[in-house]
């Protein structure tokens, strides 16, 4: 699939795209079949903020090690990728304070939920990458920009504290062990934002892909040739992640409404499209039409 995204041009255009609103959930989870034993979240006044002398334990949760070159690494390729987004919701959904530790001073809060108010829907610099079960008690996920990847993780026995580090492949970036402090985000008491008008978050789209056996790229990577000069318009899960709404759903046919655009062609307005996915002989196909 061809791409017209040009790194520097995209970055310049997207610096103006900002938003981050409130939302939070209070997890109460069942035992996970894969071996993670879930626990109920404590109330905010029961949260424990790690002291300076315990910063190393935050990294020990993800089994860091020091390689022969003195670089701090993790075995992320050995972590179990998960598509259990109910588990993800139970622990990561909410509004997290001190998001500037991950995204800079422009973002005091990090909103993770299924609504259009979520960070992922309001900042196209960053895309959701992967969700992991690191161990029986540790969950993690990554987001990436054009140039960086950020790792978030938490211990489900203390689920209101989330830790964050920059990541390059399996290398933790930019510090020596003796003087580094892992940044933390604290979950607020704000209630979660609920999706409206059949809005489908990136997590809902991953669930749809899982439940119906549809390739995620078929669901989110959409191209449409415009009638104005033959310019290709796009939808994807990153710079052109326009809102997606469910129109109808059955075992062999799903219809969604979304928007396609081209952020390089600044004078071209995005247009709405209707995407119909139909399964024939076990294979899903997509038809895109203008609304």
């Amino acid at each position: 699939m061809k791409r017209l995204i040009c790194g520097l041009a995209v970055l310049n255009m997207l610096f103006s795209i900002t938003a981050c609103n409130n939302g939070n959930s209070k997890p109460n989870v069942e035992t996970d079949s894969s071996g993670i034993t879930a626990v109920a979240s404590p109330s905010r006044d029961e949260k424990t903020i790690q002291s300076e002398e315990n910063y190393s334990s935050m990294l020990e949760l993800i089994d860091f090690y020091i390689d022969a070159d003195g670089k701090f690494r993790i075995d992320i390729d050995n972590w179990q990728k998960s598509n259990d987004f109910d588990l993800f919701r139970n622990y990561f959904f909410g509004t997290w304070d001190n998001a500037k530790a991950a995204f800079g001073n422009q973002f005091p809060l990090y909103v993770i939920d299924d609504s259009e108010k979520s960070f992922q829907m309001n900042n196209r610099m960053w895309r959701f990458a992967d969700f992991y079960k690191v161990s029986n008690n540790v969950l993690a996920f990554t987001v990436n920009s054009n140039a960086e990847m950020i790792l978030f993780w938490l211990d489900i026995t203390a689920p209101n504290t989330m830790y964050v580090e920059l990541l390059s492949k399996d290398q933790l970036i930019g510090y020596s062990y003796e003087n580094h402090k892992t940044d933390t985000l604290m979950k607020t008491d704000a209630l979660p934002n609920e999706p409206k008008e059949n809005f489908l978050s990136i997590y809902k789209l991953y669930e749809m892909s899982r439940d119906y056996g549809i390739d995620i790229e078929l669901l989110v990577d959409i191209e449409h040739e415009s009638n104005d000069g033959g310019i290709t318009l796009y939808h994807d899960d990153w710079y052109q992640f326009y809102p997606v709404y469910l129109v109808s759903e059955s075992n062999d046919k799903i219809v969604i409404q979304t928007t396609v655009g081209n952020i390089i062609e600044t004078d071209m307005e995005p247009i709405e499209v209707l995407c119909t996915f139909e399964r024939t002989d076990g294979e899903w196909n997509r038809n895109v039409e203008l609304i």
Side-chain angles (χ1 to χ4, degrees):
M1 186 176 293
K2 61 184 179 180
R3 301 286 186 184
L4 295 180
I5 297 176
C6 176
L8 292 176
V10 167
L11 290 175
N12 289 332
M13 293 177 185
L14 293 175
F15 278 134
S16 61
I17 303 176
T18 62
C20 198
N21 300 283
N22 293 342
N24 185 45
S25 60
K26 295 184 178 179
N28 189 359
V29 196
E30 303 296 329
T31 300
D32 180 66
S33 60
S34 65
I36 290 184
T37 302
V39 296
S41 293
S43 61
R44 184 162 178 78
D45 58 6
E46 294 173 321
K47 298 172 186 175
T48 300
I49 300 176
Q50 298 284 350
S51 61
E52 291 184 10
E53 58 267 25
N54 287 331
Y55 273 101
S56 62
S57 66
M58 302 176 185
L59 296 177
E60 288 167 0
L61 290 172
I62 52 174
D63 294 328
F64 83 99
Y65 64 96
I66 304 174
D67 68 12
D69 297 322
K71 298 184 183 299
F72 288 76
R73 297 188 179 276
I74 52 177
D75 288 323
I76 196 168
D77 288 339
N78 293 329
W79 292 356
Q80 179 187 354
K81 287 187 179 182
S82 176
N83 60 8
D84 184 351
F85 287 98
D86 282 337
L87 182 65
F88 184 89
R89 288 184 182 91
N90 284 324
Y91 287 103
F92 290 111
F93 266 30
T95 298
W96 297 85
D97 205 354
N98 194 37
K100 62 184 179 181
F103 304 112
N105 291 332
Q106 192 176 6
F107 302 102
L109 299 174
Y110 185 17
V111 179
I112 308 174
D113 61 33
D114 279 323
S115 80
E116 290 187 69
K117 295 181 179 181
S118 69
F119 180 86
Q120 295 300 144
M121 287 307 304
N122 290 280
N123 189 288
R124 297 184 186 178
M125 292 289 294
W126 298 93
R127 64 182 286 273
F128 176 80
D130 290 300
F131 172 40
Y132 299 94
K133 296 174 182 175
V134 181
S135 67
N136 283 344
N137 288 331
V138 180
L139 302 174
F141 71 94
T142 53
V143 299
N144 69 270
S145 71
N146 188 57
E148 294 179 316
M149 176 168 282
I150 302 178
L151 172 69
F152 297 90
W153 73 98
L154 57 75
D155 182 342
I156 66 172
T157 65
N160 290 308
T161 303
M162 183 163 65
Y163 311 113
V164 55
E165 291 283 0
L166 282 177
L167 185 66
S168 176
K169 295 183 179 179
D170 62 350
Q171 179 185 343
L172 301 175
I173 298 176
Y175 63 88
S176 64
Y177 181 71
E178 291 76 14
N179 59 20
H180 180 71
K181 294 181 180 179
T182 297
D183 287 313
T184 61
L185 282 68
M186 301 301 297
K187 184 176 282 189
T188 73
D189 291 323
L191 293 175
N193 301 298
E194 296 296 335
K196 298 179 179 180
E197 299 177 348
N198 294 322
F199 171 74
L200 297 175
S201 67
I202 187 61
Y203 316 111
K204 289 286 189 181
L205 289 166
Y206 270 106
E207 287 176 316
M208 181 175 286
S209 171
R210 176 197 68 195
D211 294 343
Y212 290 100
I214 305 176
D215 191 290
I216 188 64
E217 291 188 357
L218 186 67
L219 279 176
V220 300
D221 290 352
I222 301 165
E223 296 184 6
H224 177 76
E225 295 293 333
S226 75
N227 295 324
D228 186 9
I231 296 173
T232 303
L233 304 177
Y234 299 96
H235 181 285
D236 57 30
D237 67 346
W238 197 346
Y239 296 114
Q240 290 161 143
F241 187 36
Y242 299 99
V244 178
Y245 303 94
L246 180 65
V247 177
S248 63
E249 178 180 19
S250 65
N251 286 336
D252 295 310
K253 184 176 181 180
I254 296 171
V255 181
I256 63 172
Q257 179 178 331
T258 189
T259 302
V260 292
N262 189 314
I263 58 174
I264 302 299
E265 301 292 336
T266 55
D267 58 346
M268 167 106 25
E269 291 293 327
I271 58 176
E272 293 186 353
V273 294
L274 201 66
C275 298
T276 301
F277 304 87
E278 291 190 272
R279 178 161 49 189
T280 304
D281 297 327
E283 181 177 353
W284 286 95
N285 296 284
R286 180 183 67 202
N287 180 62
V288 181
E289 56 185 313
L290 297 180
I291 296 178

